[in-house]
Amino acid sequence: MDLDVLFVGTAGSVPSARRSLPATLVRRGGERLLFDCGEGTQRQLTRSIGLVELEDVFLTHFHGDHVLGLPGLVKTFNLRGRERPLTVHGPPGLAGLFKTFAPLIGRTGFELRLVELDHGDELERDGYRIAAFDVDHGARAQGYALIEEARPGRFDESRARELAVEPGPDFGRLQRGEAVGEVTPEQVLGPARAGRKVVLTGDTAPSALVAAVAHRADLLVHEATFTSEDAERAAETRHSTAGQAGALAADAEVGMLALTHLSARYPVREVREEARAEFENTIVPDDFDRVELPLPERGEPAHHREQASDPSS
Amino acid sequence: MDLDVLFVGTAGSVPSARRSLPATLVRRGGERLLFDCGEGTQRQLTRSIGLVELEDVFLTHFHGDHVLGLPGLVKTFNLRGRERPLTVHGPPGLAGLFKTFAPLIGRTGFELRLVELDHGDELERDGYRIAAFDVDHGARAQGYALIEEARPGRFDESRARELAVEPGPDFGRLQRGEAVGEVTPEQVLGPARAGRKVVLTGDTAPSALVAAVAHRADLLVHEATFTSEDAERAAETRHSTAGQAGALAADAEVGMLALTHLSARYPVREVREEARAEFENTIVPDDFDRVELPLPERGEPAHHREQASDPSS
């Protein structure tokens, strides 16, 4: 099952020439989940993978820079004659946001579903779940963890034959975890193989809860609005410095840390180096960069750049 | 006095990879007037001339594609600590729009002034006026005409000396149109010189009123959402085809026609050729292109391309 993360907009608060406002697309198999939808998201999608008919949007909180792209996105889907429902998930208060949006959106020819997720709520999906967890941003704000189910261990075909199981439907039963006669799945399956975990924080100050949820995540997408030279301002506004995000990634023993919600005031190199001093496998994606997450037994998360890196950054 | 028009966003309804949603900046001397503010406008400004502290926004109507960039623009001004008031002008209903925007914008540290302009209303400015006029778009929608005052004729210095006027303050009085003794301004000033006129339609079906207001405009910025192959759809939705915009520009004897509000469904060349068949001096600006309007005695409006033209378009 393919799994990747497309960085659609990586600026925080204010867009820059280089970066659009927050939006991150997670693609798993045929599913596309958009996390936050800042102003300009529909065009960023058009400029990269095309304006795909995504099914789910997850909002981390309701600050303008994270949500102001939604009315336009919904209107554009409607203009194109969309028929499939679109589900928007967010913290409590989501219904109020859409009451505000209603006159801007008008009527839609498709169903717009709103699902409020509180701290600790989980959505069960086919093969994975999405858990909402509180972050520390002053305003009501939450992150999301996408956690795949562990996959059954490897099926040992020759051992099954030794136990006199016939190839065919009975092999399938054992692989699905069902017994066949006296032969139990444990006899022919290796240890369960871990699924993947991707955690997105949205805006937050360093939070022990984030570190706990992100423990051993394959990829942690964490905000880094400031560098340590503005640590006080970060604390006041409940944001993180790049160094704090790096330290948290190290504590949480994640596979890779991707920093987003970047301010144009810092050179990218400075942000990256500050985080890397704490956690080596840190990347600072540009808009349209992608992180591919192979199955754990097949390799490590890999950062694919959309464009040749700017040597000055 | 410098006067130019910067095409900040030239798409209609839906942004494309090439074009952002509607926004046009008119710069006259130190003044900057933004007409419409579609999603993405703040970033388009950042990507071109920088996010200037403009004083005035004029909305043609309240459809989402023309206004959804405003909350983010206002929030960004506020984050930067703006202190100067910002005035937003628009048709009746503007106050209602900002009631909707209020929770998205929050409090601002600068004054946000709302000015509703009805059909026929004029704003007097130093050296020019801006007139609002109804267009034909189904919804309440209006265009704007920026009309410079005629400038006094050329001062004939030697004639003034002949009439025994002393160089100095008396020359100034005559140039300002005041008599000096028995010498009247008419004796020493040539014929009044025309000011410039720029007309922006916003969204509209072809309208006799637009043609009347645009009569002999130096520049008419007219929408061209469709081409003639979709003339019926244009009529239904109260938009114009490129050919209709061209015919109107010819009727109105404008200096130059600039087409905006373009759909990605037509090749640019097709749009341009359809309009040029009716009116030769038609341009189809790309985002960030500029039209410079010299004083009429100094030359014709000139289209400056931001980037080398795509030969395929």
Side-chain angles (χ1 to χ4, degrees):
Chain A
M1 177 74 68
D2 291 345
L3 176 67
D4 76 357
V5 175
L6 176 73
F7 294 88
V8 178
T10 59
S13 311
V14 172
S16 65
R18 179 172 181 167
R19 300 180 189 278
S20 187
L21 288 167
T24 310
L25 187 71
V26 176
R27 296 185 286 191
R28 183 177 183 277
E31 292 181 273
R32 304 169 201 90
L33 317 174
L34 183 68
F35 293 84
D36 285 332
C37 187
E39 181 184 347
T41 297
Q42 58 170 327
R43 187 164 184 230
Q44 290 291 99
L45 288 170
T46 300
R47 291 176 65 188
S48 52
I49 57 166
L51 189 58
V52 289
E53 290 242 324
L54 42 98
E55 298 83 27
D56 293 285
V57 180
F58 294 83
L59 301 178
T60 59
H61 63 303
F62 306 138
H63 285 163
D65 56 328
H66 291 253
V67 304
L68 280 169
L70 256 179
L73 182 70
V74 170
K75 283 187 77 72
T76 292
F77 281 148
N78 196 50
L79 265 175
R80 295 202 311 190
R82 177 181 176 124
E83 292 181 356
R84 296 157 73 183
L86 177 71
T87 307
V88 182
H89 313 261
L94 182 68
L97 178 72
F98 273 79
K99 202 173 270 183
T100 297
F101 280 165
L104 302 171
I105 291 176
R107 267 172 309 185
T108 55
F110 61 92
E111 192 191 347
L112 193 58
R113 296 179 183 155
L114 303 181
V115 176
E116 293 192 347
L117 295 176
D118 214 336
H119 175 60
D121 282 350
E122 283 192 348
L123 288 179
E124 288 292 342
R125 293 291 177 93
D126 187 22
Y128 68 97
R129 62 190 203 273
I130 293 182
F133 58 95
D134 277 354
V135 297
D136 177 3
H137 189 46
R140 183 74 173 76
Q142 65 197 16
Y144 296 96
L146 184 154
I147 303 166
E148 287 186 329
E149 289 169 12
R151 290 159 298 137
R154 253 180 236 290
F155 180 63
D156 187 338
E157 205 179 300
S158 57
R159 180 78 185 119
R161 284 177 200 271
E162 278 169 32
L163 295 168
V165 183
E166 294 288 324
D170 281 349
F171 272 29
R173 286 191 189 100
L174 286 164
Q175 284 172 309
R176 285 193 303 274
E178 300 164 25
V180 170
E182 294 197 346
V183 180
T184 64
E186 290 72 31
Q187 290 176 284
V188 293
L189 292 177
R193 289 171 292 181
R196 291 158 290 191
K197 178 155 89 168
V198 176
V199 174
L200 303 102
T201 64
D203 293 6
T204 185
S207 151
L209 181 61
V210 170
V213 172
H215 187 235
R216 296 208 173 150
D218 298 273
L219 175 66
L220 170 62
V221 182
H222 199 289
E223 71 123 294
T225 311
F226 295 97
T227 66
S228 54
E229 66 186 80
D230 294 311
E232 254 179 67
R233 181 131 178 70
E236 277 163 29
T237 57
R238 310 316 293 154
H239 282 292
S240 299
T241 66
Q244 288 169 334
L248 188 142
D251 279 355
E253 302 170 37
V254 305
M256 176 184 269
L257 169 65
L259 299 180
T260 57
H261 208 265
L262 303 173
S263 164
R265 93 189 65 166
Y266 312 109
V268 175
R269 180 185 289 169
E270 219 172 283
V271 174
R272 190 165 43 220
E273 282 172 9
E274 181 174 311
R276 283 195 177 164
E278 304 289 339
F279 181 75
E280 177 57 32
N281 198 18
T282 298
I283 62 168
V284 184
D286 276 319
D287 288 5
F288 308 139
D289 281 3
R290 215 164 55 80
V291 169
E292 209 185 329
L293 293 136
L295 289 169
E297 66 271 23
R298 296 204 185 145
E300 301 293 316
H303 179 197
H304 298 281
R305 288 200 170 276
E306 167 66 11
Q307 296 193 312
S309 179
D310 177 354
S312 73
S313 61
Chain B
M1 178 73 71
D2 292 344
L3 178 65
D4 76 359
V5 176
L6 176 73
F7 294 88
V8 178
T10 58
S13 312
V14 172
S16 65
R18 180 173 182 166
R19 300 179 190 278
S20 187
L21 288 167
T24 309
L25 187 72
V26 176
R27 296 184 289 191
R28 184 178 182 277
E31 292 182 274
R32 303 168 202 91
L33 318 174
L34 182 68
F35 292 84
D36 285 331
C37 187
E39 181 184 347
T41 297
Q42 58 168 328
R43 187 163 185 231
Q44 290 292 100
L45 288 169
T46 300
R47 291 177 65 188
S48 52
I49 57 169
L51 190 58
V52 290
E53 288 242 324
L54 44 99
E55 298 83 26
D56 294 285
V57 180
F58 294 84
L59 300 179
T60 59
H61 63 301
F62 306 139
H63 284 162
D65 56 328
H66 291 251
V67 305
L68 280 169
L70 257 178
L73 182 71
V74 170
K75 282 188 78 75
T76 291
F77 282 146
N78 196 49
L79 265 176
R80 297 203 310 190
R82 178 182 176 123
E83 292 180 355
R84 298 158 74 182
L86 176 71
T87 307
V88 181
H89 313 259
L94 182 67
L97 178 72
F98 273 79
K99 201 172 270 181
T100 297
F101 280 165
L104 302 171
I105 292 175
R107 268 172 307 187
T108 56
F110 61 92
E111 192 193 344
L112 193 57
R113 295 180 183 153
L114 302 181
V115 176
E116 294 191 347
L117 295 175
D118 214 336
H119 175 58
D121 282 350
E122 282 192 349
L123 289 178
E124 288 293 340
R125 295 288 177 95
D126 187 21
Y128 68 96
R129 61 189 204 276
I130 292 182
F133 58 95
D134 278 354
V135 298
D136 177 4
H137 188 44
R140 184 73 173 77
Q142 65 197 20
Y144 295 96
L146 183 153
I147 303 166
E148 288 186 328
E149 287 169 13
R151 291 157 298 137
R154 251 179 237 291
F155 180 62
D156 188 339
E157 204 178 298
S158 57
R159 180 75 186 123
R161 284 176 201 272
E162 278 169 28
L163 294 168
V165 184
E166 294 287 322
D170 283 347
F171 271 30
R173 285 189 189 99
L174 285 164
Q175 285 172 307
R176 285 195 302 274
E178 299 165 25
V180 172
E182 294 198 344
V183 180
T184 64
E186 290 70 31
Q187 290 177 281
V188 293
L189 291 177
R193 288 171 291 182
R196 292 159 289 191
K197 179 156 90 170
V198 176
V199 175
L200 304 102
T201 63
D203 293 6
T204 184
S207 149
L209 182 61
V210 169
V213 172
H215 187 233
R216 295 210 173 150
D218 297 273
L219 175 66
L220 170 62
V221 181
H222 199 290
E223 72 123 294
T225 310
F226 295 97
T227 66
S228 54
E229 67 188 76
D230 293 311
E232 251 179 69
R233 181 132 177 69
E236 277 163 27
T237 56
R238 309 317 291 155
H239 282 293
S240 299
T241 66
Q244 288 168 335
L248 188 141
D251 278 354
E253 301 170 37
V254 304
M256 177 184 268
L257 169 66
L259 300 180
T260 58
H261 207 265
L262 302 173
S263 165
R265 95 189 63 163
Y266 312 110
V268 175
R269 179 185 292 169
E270 217 173 284
V271 173
R272 189 165 45 221
E273 282 173 8
E274 181 174 312
R276 282 194 178 164
E278 304 289 339
F279 182 74
E280 176 58 31
N281 198 17
T282 299
I283 63 168
V284 183
D286 275 320
D287 287 6
F288 309 138
D289 281 4
R290 213 164 56 81
V291 169
E292 210 185 329
L293 293 137
L295 290 168
E297 65 272 23
R298 297 205 184 144
E300 301 292 318
H303 179 196
H304 298 281
R305 290 200 168 274
E306 167 67 11
Q307 295 191 314
S309 176
D310 177 353
S312 73
S313 63

